[in-house]
Amino acid sequence: MTSNPTAVDAGELRRRVAEFLAGHDPAGTDRLEFLRARFDAGLAWVHYPVGLGGLGAPRTLQPLVDAEFAAAGAPDNDPRRNGIGLGMAAPTILAHGSEELKQRLLRPLWTGEEVWCQLFSEPGAGSDLAALATRAVPEKGPDGDGAGGTWVVDGQKVWTSSAHLARWAILIARTDPDLPKHRGITYFVCDMTDPGVEVRPLRQITGEAEFNEVFLTGVRIPDSHRLGAVGEGWRVAQTTLMNERVAIGGGPAPREGGMAGVVADAWRGRPEGRTPELHARLMRLWVEAEAQRLAAERLRQQLAAGGVGSEGAGMKLGFARLSQALSGLEVELLGAEGLEYDDWTMRRPDHVDFTGREAGYRYLRAKGNSIEGGTSEILRNIIAERVLGLPAEPRSDKDVPWKDLPR
Amino acid sequence: MTTTAGTAAPAGTAAPAATDQDLLYSEVEDDLRASVRALLADRCPHTAVLARCEGDEPHDPALWSALAADLGAAGLAVPEERGGHGASWRETAVVMEELGRSAAPVPFLGSAVLAAAALLGCDPRRQEAAELLAGVASGTTAAALAVDFSTAPGAEFPCAVRADDAGALTGRVTAVADAPAAQVLLVPAIGPDGPGLYAVDAAGAGVSTAVPPALDLTRRIGHLDLDGAAGRLLAGPDRARAALERALLTGAGMLASEQLGLAEWCLEETVRHVRGRTQFGRPVGSFQALKHRLADLWLEVVSARAAARSAADALASNAPDADVAVAVAQSYCADVAVHAAEECVQLHGGIGMTWEHPAHLYLKRAKADQIALGTPGRHRARLAGLVGLPPV
Ligand SMILES: Cc1cc2nc3c(=O)[nH]c(=O)nc-3n(C[C@H](O)[C@H](O)[C@H](O)COP(=O)(O)OP(=O)(O)OC[C@H]3O[C@@H](n4cnc5c(N)ncnc54)[C@H](O)[C@@H]3O)c2cc1C
């Protein structure tokens, strides 16, 4: 992704940030205006190309830039509100989108003006995403296959986080039911304001509704909003999914970052709840969290050195296991207080914070960590087959036309 | 011997982690690994290790001199001006990984790690210590640190051996790692002025070393009986305590790399086996029950590698939080190595239970390593004090 990793180094970036800040006083500039200007200066995501919010610098220099802006008290783009946009849609658009789409979509995506959601999962297609049934049919393309014309989309998506906030969606739909399932899928950018899009909240075990059901009825998508070739959607989706797993599991973290820190603080603050058994579990998990943090750090160093990080898939697996074990421990540590819950009111939150609210919420929300973005079972399959090279299980669904598969 | 719960961090804080650790392997380290691996592949095949471990001399003196002296592995962490090769504990850790991978029967941990680290803590102006360190670093002398191998960093200075005014040592030390291969014993003892570290010739008068059958076939232990044995003072009360503590900490940190190498071998060998072994008309490695277990084990090995590298880097750079990094690495890697070795036996089926297959060499090493230099639970207890998470 980096066009010329040596062109812009840390010193040059510091210089450019300083120059930018001199011209745009963080205190005196309107927030959006500031963010747009930061994008235009190539200081948004420095590893992106020039003209698209970046400078073609190494990705590892991003934290430095973010830290410089934060130190100057500059507004940020509130990345937690648009995790899917920043973590998944953007890299996919960058890798597979037309120049026109990149110009139109990436800037408001980065500034947070336009939130994104992911229309992948369906009631009949979760882990087996390639089984999806949402259809995209060409309306009246000049050459009859939709190219250059408009696609009409019908179907139902489910578990769609942030759909109620989203201006755009990344969408995969079936364009050829006669092909085996992986081959008849095409990838689109979908306008969530289209009249055929209906979003209904879906309440979850925490009481609130982060995710939604999305009904697509005669949704019209111009062919120019297609990412990758017709029938190549599965391959394009791999870019998204790999980035999703990195986004969920692999962020930089200090020692005692995340749930480990929450539980450690709870331990320090509540001597009355301490028992030998809880302490034994706490220390085991603390060590595992630290080992996992170091593994993530090592992966980052490997990527920075230009190596490959097959370890990526493992980070999310370990993260899910640990966050569940730690948040469960925290509830127990609270004793009688753990019997209470802060609030069951149905709400539609505008961002998700795994370590937010109270212990009961954290415990329940962590259950989603081993389901969202690929279940832990699927991740183990991926590690076993792609990293360890173990043989796939025999399958009966690979070479059969999608329309003939049992459902 | 009791473990003291390290210096407590101020209430409400965990020691912040060193942020600039290099967790990768450098080119030099990769080259070193390649040389050590080639030597071990040539000189230390499993058949030879198995044959040797039933003989009277379980360690391999020829291999030891090729590794320690010819390849220079014994002096990696010793500065050039003190007779070593001026590399660091990072490179030493790479050697430990390779020795773990091959379950090699050489006294590297006892001599090049524990004894060398203890000698590095002695005053370089004390000629006795300087000469001994140079001998250990060059691989010409094999030394052993006379402490019970289950001792964890942070333990009290041992008082089982007493030294009189003339330096004659009397007392008993059990389970000394690599003692049967050592020419010189470094004995912590309480002398007339307090704690001291003494050198004793293993073959000298008043020294007897009983070698019991050991769980680990490839690293022997010895029970030492000292009865007025002639000791030469290496470090007095001003340095002995710190030298011993540093040796234990370094040993525990380096052991994590051995455990990593051992776990890697077990995982690779098991994956190789389940890919090739067919039952029910398909490779057993295509059954999801096994794939998921191996995926979990792989993730443990990935984390173990990061933790072991972190400990090695912290020891090499003398980082202020080295004790935290070592406690994390040792408590984590010890269990991963045992888990890997146990899975290796189980997923090999009946063949994993045979004497002929090398899996048991790794299982025995892994289980003994779990006790060595502090059990995982002991390291976690120490860590609790270091990061401000008290048990009560
Ligand atoms: C909080 C949350 C947010 C989400 N947000 C989004 C979103 O924004 N957009 C979106 O598109 N999707 C989203 N999802 C959906 C998520 O990706 C799916 O739920 C997930 O992929 C699992 O699919 P499923 O629910 O159909 O379960 P199923 O696939 O039916 O799985 C049921 C069980 O079977 C196991 N299983 C399935 N196949 C195998 C196999 N081959 N081997 C072993 N075990 C197997 C699974 O691991 C699971 O335990 C979200 C989910 C959650 C929980």
Side-chain angles (χ1 to χ4, degrees):
Chain A
M1 214 177 287
T2 344
S3 46
N4 185 356
T6 48
V8 179
D9 61 11
E12 173 65 10
L13 280 177
R14 274 200 198 89
R15 196 191 61 72
R16 289 197 191 206
V17 173
E19 189 182 86
F20 180 87
L21 287 168
H24 303 79
D25 174 18
T29 316
D30 170 69
R31 177 174 177 275
L32 256 183
E33 208 179 294
F34 185 91
L35 291 172
R36 287 177 184 155
R38 179 174 160 187
F39 185 94
D40 295 338
L43 295 168
W45 31 33
V46 294
H47 57 293
Y48 272 50
V50 174
L52 294 173
L55 295 166
R59 185 177 187 152
T60 44
L61 293 177
Q62 185 65 37
L64 177 154
V65 172
D66 291 341
E68 299 270 308
F69 276 107
D76 73 4
N77 59 346
D78 200 0
R80 290 183 314 172
R81 272 189 72 241
N82 199 14
I84 290 172
L86 292 162
M88 293 175 249
T92 314
I93 294 166
L94 182 67
H96 301 282
S98 65
E99 203 45 45
E100 205 183 321
L101 273 188
K102 291 183 211 172
Q103 291 295 344
R104 161 64 187 85
L105 297 172
L106 289 175
R107 189 184 193 235
L109 184 160
W110 185 82
T111 60
E113 289 163 82
E114 293 181 344
V115 171
W116 285 68
C117 70
Q118 179 189 18
L119 293 170
F120 279 24
S121 305
E122 299 182 5
S127 299
D128 186 11
L129 187 57
L132 59 89
T134 292
R135 288 294 316 273
V137 178
E139 192 183 50
K140 50 171 193 303
D143 48 5
D145 69 350
T150 301
W151 297 83
V152 181
V153 179
D154 287 277
Q156 186 197 335
K157 297 288 179 176
V158 73
W159 324 124
T160 318
S161 310
S162 305
H164 53 291
L165 305 167
R167 172 68 176 79
W168 295 99
I170 42 177
L171 164 74
I172 46 178
R174 186 155 309 279
T175 42
D176 190 344
D178 295 323
L179 289 174
K181 62 181 181 182
H182 292 93
R183 286 197 261 140
I185 296 172
T186 303
Y187 199 120
F188 300 97
V189 165
C190 173
D191 184 343
M192 292 294 282
T193 63
D194 185 286
V197 177
E198 189 201 339
V199 178
R200 295 188 203 153
L202 198 51
R203 201 172 178 197
Q204 67 201 39
I205 61 175
T206 55
E208 54 185 21
E210 261 174 53
F211 50 35
N212 304 268
E213 296 178 286
V214 179
F215 296 86
L216 306 167
T217 316
V219 175
R220 295 164 58 79
I221 299 182
D223 188 53
S224 59
H225 284 186
R226 173 168 46 80
L227 296 184
V230 174
E232 286 288 301
W234 185 252
R235 199 176 55 80
V236 178
Q238 297 314 307
T239 315
T240 312
L241 296 176
M242 245 5 259
N243 277 293
E244 175 171 31
R245 280 158 204 158
V246 172
I248 292 181
R255 182 179 283 167
E256 284 196 8
M259 270 311 296
V262 172
V263 181
D265 287 344
W267 184 270
R268 294 186 184 109
R270 297 174 171 269
E272 66 281 5
R274 296 173 187 167
T275 70
E277 190 270 347
L278 288 175
H279 190 250
R281 270 162 66 198
L282 171 74
M283 290 317 299
R284 243 175 220 285
L285 292 172
W286 195 96
V287 166
E288 281 174 36
E290 177 65 2
Q292 166 106 26
R293 181 187 75 82
L294 290 165
E297 175 55 27
R298 184 161 192 279
L299 175 63
R300 255 191 304 285
Q301 292 183 5
Q302 259 172 301
L303 295 174
V308 282
S310 59
E311 277 97 337
M315 293 299 109
K316 198 222 153 202
L317 178 61
F319 165 76
R321 207 190 67 69
L322 264 175
S323 66
Q324 293 177 351
L326 284 162
S327 60
L329 179 70
E330 191 195 4
V331 174
E332 286 173 71
L333 177 58
L334 298 188
E337 220 180 289
L339 297 171
E340 295 181 32
Y341 190 77
D342 61 348
D343 186 4
W344 292 115
T345 310
M346 157 70 185
R347 285 208 191 85
R348 302 176 88 182
D350 71 353
H351 70 265
V352 183
D353 183 355
F354 297 153
T355 56
R357 286 181 54 177
E358 308 224 326
Y361 167 82
R362 292 192 277 270
Y363 170 69
L364 295 173
R365 183 58 187 84
K367 295 298 163 225
N369 295 157
S370 56
I371 303 171
E372 59 200 326
T375 70
S376 290
E377 289 74 23
I378 294 300
L379 292 179
R380 289 190 184 94
N381 287 348
I382 291 175
I383 292 166
E385 289 171 22
R386 302 205 195 141
V387 182
L388 298 178
L390 292 169
E393 297 216 62
R395 285 176 65 165
S396 53
D397 62 340
K398 267 197 147 160
D399 304 313
V400 186
W402 174 81
K403 63 178 171 32
D404 298 332
L405 288 173
R407 259 184 289 283
Chain B
M1 209 170 284
T2 50
T3 303
T4 52
T7 356
T13 54
T19 46
D20 50 354
Q21 286 204 311
D22 176 4
L23 301 174
L24 304 179
Y25 299 101
S26 69
E27 255 174 64
V28 174
E29 287 163 355
D30 286 339
D31 291 347
L32 172 67
R33 180 194 303 288
S35 322
V36 176
R37 191 174 290 190
L39 173 73
L40 293 169
D42 183 35
R43 305 282 283 275
C44 186
H46 290 125
T47 44
V49 176
L50 273 168
R52 182 170 285 282
C53 63
E54 287 195 280
D56 293 339
E57 197 173 46
H59 68 274
D60 181 343
L63 174 63
W64 171 242
S65 102
L67 175 78
D70 305 349
L71 220 85
L76 285 171
V78 179
E80 283 175 26
E81 65 275 15
R82 297 176 75 176
H85 297 288
S88 78
W89 294 115
R90 287 180 57 98
E91 291 79 4
T92 312
V94 170
V95 177
M96 287 294 284
E97 282 182 34
E98 292 305 308
L99 295 174
R101 279 185 78 96
S102 60
V106 287
F108 190 84
L109 177 63
S111 189
V113 177
L114 288 168
L119 290 164
L120 279 168
C122 298
D123 188 342
R125 286 163 305 185
R126 199 181 268 275
Q127 197 190 349
E128 189 70 52
E131 280 174 13
L132 192 47
L133 179 59
V136 165
S138 69
T140 49
T141 306
L145 182 64
V147 290
D148 185 316
F149 196 30
S150 68
T151 310
E156 308 277 6
F157 194 86
C159 54
V161 179
R162 301 268 156 188
D164 66 16
D165 292 340
L169 304 183
T170 301
R172 184 173 157 79
V173 190
T174 52
V176 175
D178 290 327
Q183 289 113 37
V184 180
L185 303 165
L186 309 187
V187 185
I190 305 296
D193 307 322
L197 188 64
Y198 296 82
V200 172
D201 289 333
V207 181
S208 76
T209 306
V211 182
L215 174 64
D216 181 357
L217 294 167
T218 54
R219 179 183 287 129
R220 290 300 169 96
I221 51 173
H223 300 316
L224 301 185
D225 260 312
L226 303 174
D227 184 9
R232 307 181 292 280
L233 188 67
L234 300 171
D238 55 329
R239 283 180 179 253
R241 219 183 270 280
L244 179 63
E245 172 59 19
R246 193 68 192 173
L248 293 172
L249 187 72
T250 305
M254 292 296 103
L255 189 60
S257 286
E258 174 176 302
Q259 288 158 332
L260 165 65
L262 195 159
E264 276 178 342
W265 184 88
C266 291
L267 175 63
E268 278 169 30
E269 194 54 26
T270 308
V271 166
R272 201 185 59 75
H273 179 73
V274 300
R275 282 169 71 169
R277 169 71 176 167
T278 297
Q279 289 287 277
F280 301 97
R282 48 195 265 216
V284 293
S286 69
F287 289 105
Q288 198 178 59
L290 303 197
K291 287 162 81 167
H292 282 194
R293 279 164 70 164
L294 289 168
D296 285 335
L297 184 57
W298 170 82
L299 182 57
E300 287 179 30
V301 172
V302 165
S303 297
R305 188 175 302 124
R309 279 276 89 186
S310 161
D313 193 80
L315 288 167
S317 64
N318 227 333
D321 70 342
D323 43 6
V324 172
V326 168
V328 166
Q330 188 43 235
S331 61
Y332 191 79
C333 297
D335 287 343
V336 171
V338 170
H339 184 206
E342 290 179 349
E343 289 291 65
C344 182
V345 169
Q346 173 65 19
L347 300 189
H348 274 79
I351 201 173
M353 197 64 198
T354 62
W355 187 269
E356 187 184 350
H357 192 278
H360 67 104
L361 296 174
Y362 293 84
L363 179 65
K364 291 162 186 172
R365 174 68 74 85
K367 198 63 193 167
D369 276 2
Q370 205 179 24
I371 298 168
L373 299 166
T375 58
R378 216 167 254 263
H379 284 281
R380 285 191 291 264
R382 175 167 153 86
L383 191 59
L386 293 171
V387 301
L389 292 170
V392 283

Short mmCIF file of all heavy atoms in Angstrom, two decimals, chain A residues 117-148:
data_model
loop_
_atom_site.label_atom_id
_atom_site.label_comp_id
_atom_site.label_asym_id
_atom_site.label_seq_id
_atom_site.Cartn_x
_atom_site.Cartn_y
_atom_site.Cartn_z
N CYS A 117 -21.58 1.30 7.16
CA CYS A 117 -21.91 0.01 7.76
C CYS A 117 -21.61 -1.11 6.76
O CYS A 117 -21.27 -0.85 5.60
CB CYS A 117 -23.36 -0.03 8.23
SG CYS A 117 -24.57 -0.04 6.90
N GLN A 118 -21.73 -2.33 7.26
CA GLN A 118 -21.31 -3.49 6.47
C GLN A 118 -22.50 -4.42 6.25
O GLN A 118 -22.95 -5.08 7.18
CB GLN A 118 -20.21 -4.21 7.26
CG GLN A 118 -19.67 -5.45 6.61
CD GLN A 118 -18.74 -6.23 7.56
OE1 GLN A 118 -18.77 -6.02 8.78
NE2 GLN A 118 -17.95 -7.12 7.02
N LEU A 119 -23.00 -4.46 5.02
CA LEU A 119 -24.14 -5.32 4.69
C LEU A 119 -23.64 -6.65 4.13
O LEU A 119 -23.69 -6.89 2.92
CB LEU A 119 -25.06 -4.62 3.69
CG LEU A 119 -25.78 -3.37 4.21
CD1 LEU A 119 -26.47 -2.61 3.06
CD2 LEU A 119 -26.82 -3.73 5.27
N PHE A 120 -23.15 -7.48 5.02
CA PHE A 120 -22.64 -8.80 4.60
C PHE A 120 -23.55 -9.91 5.09
O PHE A 120 -24.18 -10.61 4.31
CB PHE A 120 -21.23 -9.03 5.17
CG PHE A 120 -20.11 -8.37 4.39
CD1 PHE A 120 -20.34 -7.26 3.59
CD2 PHE A 120 -18.82 -8.87 4.48
CE1 PHE A 120 -19.29 -6.66 2.88
CE2 PHE A 120 -17.76 -8.29 3.77
CZ PHE A 120 -18.01 -7.18 2.97
N SER A 121 -23.65 -10.09 6.43
CA SER A 121 -24.37 -11.24 6.99
C SER A 121 -25.84 -11.21 6.64
O SER A 121 -26.46 -10.14 6.53
CB SER A 121 -24.24 -11.23 8.52
OG SER A 121 -22.90 -11.20 8.90
N GLU A 122 -26.39 -12.42 6.50
CA GLU A 122 -27.82 -12.59 6.22
C GLU A 122 -28.36 -13.67 7.15
O GLU A 122 -27.58 -14.44 7.71
CB GLU A 122 -28.03 -13.02 4.76
CG GLU A 122 -27.50 -11.99 3.78
CD GLU A 122 -27.75 -12.39 2.32
OE1 GLU A 122 -28.41 -13.43 2.08
OE2 GLU A 122 -27.27 -11.66 1.44
N PRO A 123 -29.68 -13.74 7.25
CA PRO A 123 -30.23 -14.80 8.11
C PRO A 123 -29.73 -16.19 7.71
O PRO A 123 -29.47 -17.03 8.58
CB PRO A 123 -31.74 -14.68 7.88
CG PRO A 123 -31.95 -13.25 7.48
CD PRO A 123 -30.72 -12.84 6.72
N GLY A 124 -29.53 -16.42 6.43
CA GLY A 124 -29.08 -17.75 6.01
C GLY A 124 -27.59 -17.82 5.71
O GLY A 124 -27.11 -18.84 5.19
N ALA A 125 -26.86 -16.76 5.96
CA ALA A 125 -25.45 -16.76 5.60
C ALA A 125 -24.64 -15.96 6.62
O ALA A 125 -24.59 -14.73 6.58
CB ALA A 125 -25.25 -16.15 4.22
N GLY A 126 -24.08 -16.67 7.60
CA GLY A 126 -23.27 -16.02 8.63
C GLY A 126 -21.83 -16.44 8.47
O GLY A 126 -21.06 -15.86 7.70
N SER A 127 -21.45 -17.51 9.15
CA SER A 127 -20.10 -18.06 8.96
C SER A 127 -19.91 -18.43 7.50
O SER A 127 -18.84 -18.21 6.92
CB SER A 127 -19.91 -19.30 9.83
OG SER A 127 -20.06 -18.96 11.18
N ASP A 128 -20.94 -19.00 6.93
CA ASP A 128 -20.91 -19.40 5.52
C ASP A 128 -21.40 -18.22 4.69
O ASP A 128 -22.42 -18.30 4.01
CB ASP A 128 -21.80 -20.63 5.34
CG ASP A 128 -21.72 -21.20 3.94
OD1 ASP A 128 -20.82 -20.79 3.17
OD2 ASP A 128 -22.55 -22.06 3.62
N LEU A 129 -20.64 -17.14 4.76
CA LEU A 129 -21.05 -15.89 4.13
C LEU A 129 -21.29 -16.07 2.62
O LEU A 129 -22.18 -15.45 2.04
CB LEU A 129 -19.95 -14.85 4.38
CG LEU A 129 -20.22 -13.41 3.96
CD1 LEU A 129 -21.48 -12.89 4.61
CD2 LEU A 129 -19.03 -12.55 4.34
N ALA A 130 -20.51 -16.93 2.00
CA ALA A 130 -20.62 -17.09 0.55
C ALA A 130 -21.95 -17.70 0.12
O ALA A 130 -22.27 -17.75 -1.05
CB ALA A 130 -19.47 -17.94 0.03
N ALA A 131 -22.74 -18.16 1.09
CA ALA A 131 -24.05 -18.72 0.75
C ALA A 131 -25.10 -17.62 0.57
O ALA A 131 -26.27 -17.91 0.31
CB ALA A 131 -24.49 -19.68 1.84
N LEU A 132 -24.71 -16.37 0.68
CA LEU A 132 -25.69 -15.28 0.73
C LEU A 132 -26.68 -15.28 -0.44
O LEU A 132 -26.35 -15.74 -1.55
CB LEU A 132 -24.98 -13.93 0.80
CG LEU A 132 -24.03 -13.55 -0.34
CD1 LEU A 132 -24.77 -12.83 -1.46
CD2 LEU A 132 -22.93 -12.67 0.20
N ALA A 133 -27.91 -14.79 -0.14
CA ALA A 133 -29.01 -14.90 -1.11
C ALA A 133 -29.48 -13.56 -1.65
O ALA A 133 -30.30 -13.53 -2.57
CB ALA A 133 -30.18 -15.63 -0.44
N THR A 134 -29.01 -12.45 -1.08
CA THR A 134 -29.42 -11.14 -1.59
C THR A 134 -29.02 -11.04 -3.06
O THR A 134 -27.87 -11.30 -3.42
CB THR A 134 -28.75 -10.03 -0.76
OG1 THR A 134 -29.31 -10.05 0.55
CG2 THR A 134 -28.98 -8.66 -1.39
N ARG A 135 -29.99 -10.69 -3.91
CA ARG A 135 -29.73 -10.69 -5.35
C ARG A 135 -29.47 -9.28 -5.87
O ARG A 135 -30.08 -8.32 -5.42
CB ARG A 135 -30.95 -11.25 -6.11
CG ARG A 135 -31.17 -12.76 -5.96
CD ARG A 135 -30.07 -13.59 -6.61
NE ARG A 135 -29.69 -13.09 -7.92
CZ ARG A 135 -30.29 -13.42 -9.06
NH1 ARG A 135 -31.29 -14.28 -9.05
NH2 ARG A 135 -29.87 -12.93 -10.22
N ALA A 136 -28.54 -9.17 -6.79
CA ALA A 136 -28.35 -7.92 -7.54
C ALA A 136 -28.54 -8.26 -9.01
O ALA A 136 -27.83 -9.12 -9.54
CB ALA A 136 -26.96 -7.35 -7.29
N VAL A 137 -29.51 -7.61 -9.64
CA VAL A 137 -29.86 -7.95 -11.03
C VAL A 137 -29.64 -6.71 -11.89
O VAL A 137 -30.05 -5.61 -11.49
CB VAL A 137 -31.33 -8.41 -11.09
CG1 VAL A 137 -31.75 -8.72 -12.52
CG2 VAL A 137 -31.55 -9.62 -10.19
N PRO A 138 -28.96 -6.87 -13.03
CA PRO A 138 -28.74 -5.70 -13.89
C PRO A 138 -30.06 -5.18 -14.45
O PRO A 138 -30.91 -5.97 -14.86
CB PRO A 138 -27.84 -6.24 -15.00
CG PRO A 138 -28.06 -7.71 -15.01
CD PRO A 138 -28.43 -8.12 -13.62
N GLU A 139 -30.21 -3.88 -14.44
CA GLU A 139 -31.46 -3.33 -14.94
C GLU A 139 -31.39 -3.13 -16.43
O GLU A 139 -32.00 -3.86 -17.20
CB GLU A 139 -31.76 -2.02 -14.24
CG GLU A 139 -33.19 -1.55 -14.49
CD GLU A 139 -33.43 -0.20 -13.85
OE1 GLU A 139 -32.59 0.71 -14.07
OE2 GLU A 139 -34.40 -0.08 -13.11
N LYS A 140 -30.62 -2.18 -16.86
CA LYS A 140 -30.60 -1.96 -18.30
C LYS A 140 -29.22 -1.47 -18.76
O LYS A 140 -29.07 -0.39 -19.29
CB LYS A 140 -31.68 -0.97 -18.71
CG LYS A 140 -31.72 0.34 -17.91
CD LYS A 140 -32.68 1.31 -18.56
CE LYS A 140 -32.58 2.74 -18.05
NZ LYS A 140 -32.76 2.96 -16.63
N GLY A 141 -28.22 -2.27 -18.50
CA GLY A 141 -26.89 -1.91 -18.96
C GLY A 141 -26.83 -1.98 -20.47
O GLY A 141 -27.57 -2.76 -21.08
N PRO A 142 -25.97 -1.16 -21.11
CA PRO A 142 -25.86 -1.14 -22.56
C PRO A 142 -25.52 -2.53 -23.10
O PRO A 142 -26.03 -2.96 -24.14
CB PRO A 142 -24.73 -0.16 -22.84
CG PRO A 142 -24.40 0.50 -21.55
CD PRO A 142 -25.06 -0.24 -20.45
N ASP A 143 -24.66 -3.29 -22.37
CA ASP A 143 -24.30 -4.61 -22.87
C ASP A 143 -25.08 -5.71 -22.17
O ASP A 143 -24.75 -6.88 -22.23
CB ASP A 143 -22.78 -4.85 -22.72
CG ASP A 143 -22.31 -4.47 -21.32
OD1 ASP A 143 -23.17 -4.13 -20.48
OD2 ASP A 143 -21.10 -4.53 -21.07
N GLY A 144 -26.14 -5.31 -21.48
CA GLY A 144 -27.06 -6.31 -20.94
C GLY A 144 -26.65 -6.95 -19.63
O GLY A 144 -27.41 -7.69 -19.05
N ASP A 145 -25.42 -6.70 -19.11
CA ASP A 145 -25.04 -7.36 -17.85
C ASP A 145 -24.87 -6.37 -16.72
O ASP A 145 -24.28 -6.66 -15.70
CB ASP A 145 -23.77 -8.18 -18.03
CG ASP A 145 -22.55 -7.30 -18.25
OD1 ASP A 145 -22.75 -6.08 -18.44
OD2 ASP A 145 -21.43 -7.83 -18.24
N GLY A 146 -25.43 -5.21 -16.87
CA GLY A 146 -25.36 -4.25 -15.78
C GLY A 146 -24.18 -3.32 -15.90
O GLY A 146 -24.20 -2.24 -15.32
N ALA A 147 -23.15 -3.72 -16.63
CA ALA A 147 -21.98 -2.86 -16.74
C ALA A 147 -22.38 -1.51 -17.34
O ALA A 147 -23.04 -1.46 -18.37
CB ALA A 147 -20.92 -3.53 -17.60
N GLY A 148 -22.03 -0.46 -16.67
CA GLY A 148 -22.37 0.88 -17.15
C GLY A 148 -23.79 1.29 -16.81
O GLY A 148 -24.16 2.45 -16.94
#
